[in-house]
Amino acid sequence: MVGTKCETCGRHFFPPRTFCPDCRRAGKIVEHQFTGSGTVVTFTVIHTAAEAYSMLTPYVLAIVKLDEGPQITTQIVCDPTKAKIGMKVKSVFRKIVTDGESGIIHYGTKFVPVE
Amino acid sequence: MVGIITYGAYIPRYRIKVEEITRVWGANAADIKGGLGVFEKSVPDLDEDAATIAVEAARNALKRRNVDPEKIGAVYVGSESHPYAVKPTACTVGEAIGATPNMTAADYEFACKAGTAAIQTCMGLVKSGMIPYGLAIGADVSQGAPSDALEYTAAAGGAAFIIGNDNPVATINHTCSFTSDTPDFWRREGQAFPRHGGRFTGDPGYFKHVKGASNLLFKEIGTSPKDYTYAIFHQPNAKFPQKVAKDLGFKSEQIKPGLIVPWLGNTYSGASPIGLAATLDIAKPGDRIFVCSFGSGAGSDAFDITVTDAITSKDFHRDAAPGVMQLLKDPIYLDYALYAKHKGKIVMQK
Amino acid sequence: MRDVAVIGIGCTKFGEKWESSFRDIFVEAGTRALEDARMSGEKIDAMYVGNMSAGRFIGQEHIGALIADYAGMASRHIPATRVEAACASGGLAFRQAVIAVASGMEDIVVAAGVEKMTDVGSDESTDTLTGAADREWEGFMGATFPGLYAMIAQDYIHKYGMTREQLAQVAVKNHYNGARNPIAQFQSEITLDTVMKSTMVAEPLRLFDCSPVTDGAAAVIVAPLDRAKEFTDTPIKVLATAQASDSIALHDRRDISTLDATVAAGQRAFKMAHLTTKDIDMVEVHDCFSIAEICAIEDLGFCKKGTAGKFTADGETALGGKIPVNTSGGLKACGHPVGATGIKQVYEIVQQLRGEAGKRQVDGAKIGMTHNVGGTGATVACHILGRV
């Protein structure tokens, strides 16, 4: 997970931002590799999904706060009954969605519980 | 000296037991388990494929040693289940580990030995001084046709090796191969499942080529089975590697750590690579390892490897990533219906 | 800045209007508004139309021109503008119309809202609505619109301990009101059981916690207050118009179960009108999901954060309660033709203030409020209206 960091104020951004909203022009933005470690802030179990994701239901959708600060929306790969607010998670590389049978496969980051 | 700088493996969490598959097709579980020596096999999650497995294996390798991904000059991924027929898995892997854009890449296919072919290519590029490091991966989400014998063993998994000559944890002293045009097992373009020649896959396939490559290596460098601490052979089931090891003169203790097919199944391009990874997980400096892969079509790649002091040095952290035994632990078992859903074997509305 | 009044209102019945097209429904709503204002179309100076996604629902863009054309105004070449802010499109269209009149730029302006959602299948409409959220960072990751509000609900429940039954009461109350609203999509009351036993959509939200897919259109006409009597005996004054924005993605908000844009817009509206929550007789809030109403009444200040569940279960937001909320039936029971909702909210409040709300009339209604949200709270528009 490569995002950015503002060296002026220390704030991290994922997805990457090229302009710090706090420091604005005074902010020095550099690339930053995240550890992929985070905590579940809130979550739900999706039972009715968009067609392209329907094979995965029921799946856990969550907002994860990365250790470095930013919050992201993502899936947690786990037994839906085991998902908890406050759970520690780490990133994994998975297929996110496919554009049908002949289209592009989109890969990305999901999370699994840290055991 | 060229060798393995670091390595990593990845095995999905899900499994299906042989008796669950026999239940569906009305076969005899005891016969199958007895005949193949396999109890269960790994199954990919709904959002996993050869590319995600390759990335996880590569990332596990990078967790163990401080290698600058930008110095990886080549990425080769061997698989029978590349997600695209055209668009290399190697590009996705390269991007996901930060090795792009200054690198070469390509995907390999050579049935179950595509991963070891990738290792050989990386060795050549490193030895010739063309690249500092090369990444070779064998990864698969292998398919077996429903009710076919292959369905009991076709499994999912992969292993990655970073090849270089800067203080490797294991030197690859020699490699050679034995190749012929043999139709023992194949899959035509556009077909979902491979086909095979039944008993023809044995002697004219597996045994001829594994013995061919092994004996060629012994002759070229003057070694014999007793010189090795461990040996890893391609493992489509537990019987073939045990028989070829015995025929060549290896003892069962030598092949034990690398023989994981009973609980993993045959991960095709991942098979020999994962066997090697499992062996490196427990190897000590000075151990000598013999590897001989086999890919239908057909060919075998043999390797003579010596584990170095670097494997226990502060430069290499074996425990920073899960070992093969760790990856095999705590599986989640599926019934055949969910297994079929995971493997895309259920006909859906197009 | 001039005072602005609503001088005419019109609305179609909301529902699955298989026999009516996009063009049919906005003409119907517009015609009714003109009739209500006893006015002929020639008097209209400008038009603002709220519509979220005609492009995906009926393959049609350029809505402003289309509506002006089919409303018979093409030959007069009036300025016609489409306004979009997902589910807050209607509220923003109303605000633009009010600003046009208040500034003196225009005199008689139509603010309309229209959405025809049933010409596509549910997969397409679900995906279209996901465009109200952050497509790239929420939708792409597998978030559905109910899924996002479900995460708001889980966060709220985790922090404040509201019970599932309390949350379900929102839908029960709104259906009760909808059954008394001739234009509502759902005309029948429901029980707590109906909600609690309905299909799970995204935990903890079930089918009956979610507003439906609806076709519908609404139109209101605004004019300078000092000209209102030319058109109506019951002009309704616009006491405040307010709008606020926030991050599009839920994960970028300061607090997941507080819609800061609601707080900001609400405060701005009260400040502009020199009023407080105590002065409001009834409020139409944006209950796209039951949890949205819970957050809305707290974030607007009608009750303290964390108490709306009990407040609702105690009947304080019912027709006879302390502050009737969603007398129209809300989005849940009245229906939610996305772009039309914000205008329908004004339509309901005007009816209440005129004493024309029939079985759902709030006695002595003098001041009403509307609250319209886009997405999970990235846009909010609030208006306060009062009897003259």
Side-chain angles (χ1 to χ4, degrees):
Chain A
M1 293 178 70
V2 177
T4 50
K5 175 182 169 179
C6 173
E7 288 197 326
T8 309
C9 66
R11 205 172 143 186
H12 293 78
F13 302 105
F14 190 86
R17 280 187 187 236
T18 50
F19 191 68
C20 177
D22 300 327
C23 305
R24 284 189 270 282
R25 278 177 296 165
K28 183 173 182 290
I29 298 284
V30 296
E31 208 178 73
H32 181 88
Q33 169 122 353
F34 286 77
T35 60
S37 199
T39 312
V40 172
V41 170
T42 179
F43 74 94
T44 180
V45 180
I46 304 279
H47 289 261
T48 305
E51 221 237 311
Y53 303 82
S54 53
M55 276 287 255
L56 298 171
T57 58
Y59 60 88
V60 179
L61 179 79
I63 291 182
V64 168
K65 189 179 175 75
L66 300 172
D67 284 355
E68 295 88 340
Q71 295 191 159
I72 56 171
T73 299
T74 185
Q75 290 177 33
I76 311 291
V77 182
C78 72
D79 176 351
T81 62
K82 303 268 185 337
K84 297 239 170 325
I85 289 179
M87 197 161 83
K88 292 249 175 282
V89 292
K90 65 176 185 212
S91 61
V92 290
F93 187 80
R94 294 287 174 113
K95 271 193 294 194
I96 303 295
V97 72
T98 304
D99 291 344
E101 290 226 345
S102 62
I104 288 290
I105 303 167
H106 299 274
Y107 295 99
T109 303
K110 294 191 186 181
F111 288 77
V112 293
V114 170
E115 269 137 48
Chain B
M1 184 71 199
V2 74
I4 298 167
I5 301 298
T6 179
Y7 70 96
Y10 178 80
I11 298 169
R13 286 288 293 272
Y14 293 95
R15 305 280 181 274
I16 183 168
K17 292 190 192 207
V18 165
E19 51 262 41
E20 173 58 13
I21 304 175
T22 57
R23 174 180 78 82
V24 172
W25 302 116
N28 186 300
D31 283 350
I32 304 282
K33 287 200 280 196
L36 296 173
V38 175
F39 308 119
E40 59 194 47
K41 64 173 192 172
S42 61
V43 183
D45 203 342
L46 289 160
D47 54 3
E48 293 187 299
D49 65 10
T52 65
I53 290 171
V55 169
E56 290 288 330
R59 285 180 174 177
N60 278 345
L62 287 165
K63 282 185 190 145
R64 288 175 159 148
R65 194 159 188 179
N66 197 10
V67 174
D68 181 358
E70 285 178 13
K71 291 211 170 87
I72 295 173
V75 177
Y76 295 100
V77 178
S79 179
E80 287 179 50
S81 52
H82 288 291
Y84 295 87
V86 178
K87 190 183 166 334
T89 309
C91 294
T92 303
V93 173
E95 194 79 49
I97 62 165
T100 53
N102 298 333
M103 57 171 242
T104 182
D107 278 359
Y108 274 5
E109 183 280 310
F110 198 141
C112 302
K113 85 158 188 79
T116 54
I119 292 174
Q120 290 178 319
T121 304
C122 286
M123 285 171 66
L125 290 173
V126 168
K127 263 184 143 173
S128 64
M130 284 170 73
I131 61 174
Y133 299 107
L135 172 61
I137 303 176
D140 249 303
V141 288
S142 329
Q143 286 285 31
S147 82
D148 181 73
L150 290 172
E151 199 181 26
Y152 296 105
T153 55
F161 298 85
I162 296 186
I163 307 299
N165 51 21
D166 181 14
N167 196 23
V169 299
T171 55
I172 306 179
N173 311 310
H174 191 74
T175 184
C176 62
S177 301
F178 185 91
T179 310
S180 73
D181 187 354
T182 304
D184 59 310
F185 164 111
W186 66 93
R187 182 168 67 80
R188 290 285 297 278
E189 185 78 62
Q191 291 289 305
F193 306 110
R195 287 180 57 177
H196 55 90
R199 287 189 58 79
F200 183 75
T201 63
D203 284 334
Y206 183 93
F207 292 98
K208 172 175 168 185
H209 296 79
V210 172
K211 287 181 184 174
S214 303
N215 287 323
L216 182 63
L217 185 138
F218 298 147
K219 183 167 162 215
E220 284 186 359
I221 62 169
T223 57
S224 71
K226 63 171 171 44
D227 297 319
Y228 297 96
T229 325
Y230 300 111
I232 297 115
F233 291 97
H234 173 50
Q235 36 204 283
N237 52 60
K239 295 299 164 90
F240 278 19
Q242 285 170 326
K243 182 170 193 320
V244 82
K246 185 161 178 242
D247 288 352
L248 286 169
F250 286 93
K251 294 192 169 23
S252 59
E253 308 88 72
Q254 286 171 297
I255 64 167
K256 194 163 179 297
L259 191 69
I260 48 203
V261 64
W263 308 279
L264 173 60
N266 176 7
T267 53
Y268 289 20
S269 297
S272 305
I274 294 180
L276 175 57
T279 306
L280 288 170
D281 283 343
I282 52 99
K284 292 189 301 298
D287 284 347
R288 201 154 179 192
I289 303 174
F290 179 81
V291 181
C292 190
S293 63
F294 169 73
S296 292
S300 280
D301 303 326
F303 300 84
D304 175 295
I305 293 170
T306 305
V307 181
T308 71
D309 288 332
I311 207 167
T312 49
S313 76
K314 59 176 173 48
D315 291 332
F316 183 75
H317 312 278
R318 220 169 356 191
D319 293 336
V324 173
M325 287 301 127
Q326 168 90 1
L327 290 165
L328 285 171
K329 275 207 281 200
D330 294 329
I332 302 168
Y333 290 96
L334 298 175
D335 63 18
Y336 192 89
L338 283 174
Y339 156 78
K341 180 183 175 189
H342 278 231
K343 294 297 301 264
K345 283 170 151 166
I346 299 181
V347 180
M348 308 286 286
Q349 175 89 283
K350 294 230 187 298
Chain C
M1 295 282 276
R2 308 188 285 187
D3 285 332
V4 181
V6 177
I7 57 167
I9 57 172
C11 194
T12 67
K13 185 162 186 321
F14 282 6
E16 289 173 319
K17 300 168 85 71
W18 305 113
E19 307 294 321
S20 303
S21 71
F22 183 90
R23 297 169 199 216
D24 290 336
I25 57 180
F26 70 66
V27 166
E28 188 188 328
T31 313
R32 290 193 187 179
L34 288 171
E35 281 164 2
D36 185 60
R38 298 181 312 224
M39 160 196 303
S40 82
E42 279 106 60
K43 294 235 166 40
I44 303 297
D45 294 322
M47 177 185 285
Y48 290 92
V49 181
N51 173 267
M52 178 182 166
S53 209
R56 286 190 65 173
F57 288 129
I58 59 166
Q60 177 72 57
E61 306 288 12
H62 210 175
I63 301 300
L66 176 70
I67 293 182
D69 181 357
Y70 274 67
M73 299 184 192
S75 53
R76 294 183 44 248
H77 311 297
I78 66 156
T81 308
R82 179 228 194 131
V83 178
E84 189 276 324
C87 334
S89 298
L92 263 58
F94 184 67
R95 177 171 160 80
Q96 291 301 307
V98 168
I99 289 173
V101 174
S103 68
M105 202 68 172
E106 308 282 3
D107 272 3
I108 316 292
V109 179
V110 170
V114 53
E115 209 80 47
K116 170 74 183 164
M117 301 174 74
T118 58
D119 278 354
V120 296
S122 65
D123 277 339
E124 180 70 13
S125 57
T126 303
D127 190 69
T128 301
L129 292 173
T130 307
D134 185 332
R135 171 71 66 184
E136 235 182 277
W137 298 101
E138 293 179 308
F140 174 73
M141 292 304 170
T144 58
F145 209 58
L148 293 168
Y149 271 93
M151 289 203 286
I152 293 176
Q154 296 278 48
D155 181 74
Y156 184 101
I157 291 167
H158 181 74
K159 287 179 169 130
Y160 309 111
M162 172 177 65
T163 69
R164 193 57 192 87
E165 286 79 3
Q166 287 171 334
L167 181 60
Q169 282 295 354
V170 172
V172 174
K173 164 190 69 81
N174 287 340
H175 269 262
Y176 180 90
N177 295 345
R180 287 150 181 78
N181 186 355
I183 60 128
Q185 179 167 3
F186 297 119
Q187 293 283 324
S188 52
E189 295 177 24
I190 59 168
T191 64
L192 196 63
D193 229 37
T194 313
V195 184
M196 303 292 285
K197 293 203 162 101
S198 59
T199 316
M200 185 68 80
V201 174
E203 295 178 16
L205 300 180
R206 293 178 179 268
L207 189 63
F208 271 78
D209 289 297
C210 309
S211 56
V213 162
T214 316
D215 300 323
V220 301
I221 307 175
V222 290
L225 179 62
D226 57 29
R227 282 191 61 189
K229 283 285 158 69
E230 288 172 44
F231 306 100
T232 174
D233 301 322
T234 52
I236 301 298
K237 185 176 169 189
V238 178
L239 301 172
T241 171
Q243 184 177 331
S245 64
D246 198 345
S247 62
I248 185 148
L250 182 62
H251 58 244
D252 281 330
R253 303 280 168 73
R254 180 195 61 84
D255 174 27
I256 288 174
S257 46
T258 300
L259 272 60
D260 282 348
T262 295
V263 175
Q267 285 173 351
R268 286 174 193 163
F270 285 122
K271 185 166 176 209
M272 188 172 174
H274 307 290
L275 296 170
T276 71
T277 53
K278 291 187 175 43
D279 302 306
I280 308 296
D281 295 315
M282 69 263 135
V283 59
E284 288 285 292
V285 305
H286 198 85
D287 63 315
C288 45
F289 300 92
S290 50
I291 182 67
E293 178 167 319
I294 295 290
C295 293
I297 58 181
E298 292 175 351
D299 297 338
L300 288 170
F302 289 102
C303 62
K304 284 221 275 284
K305 196 74 198 164
T307 66
K310 183 169 189 304
F311 197 67
T312 304
D314 287 348
E316 303 291 22
T317 58
L319 275 173
K322 198 163 155 206
I323 170 71
V325 174
N326 285 334
T327 56
S328 67
L331 279 59
K332 174 66 193 76
C334 191
H336 182 36
V338 181
T341 284
I343 304 294
K344 177 223 84 184
Q345 291 176 330
V346 173
Y347 173 84
E348 174 69 8
I349 296 299
V350 168
Q351 287 197 307
Q352 286 281 359
L353 297 175
R354 285 178 179 177
E356 291 168 6
K359 294 209 204 105
R360 51 191 207 291
Q361 182 66 52
V362 172
D363 289 330
K366 288 209 224 31
I367 299 176
M369 187 172 191
T370 68
H371 161 261
N372 192 208
V373 178
T376 56
T379 301
V380 173
C382 284
H383 291 88
I384 300 178
L385 301 137
R387 231 169 49 190
V388 165

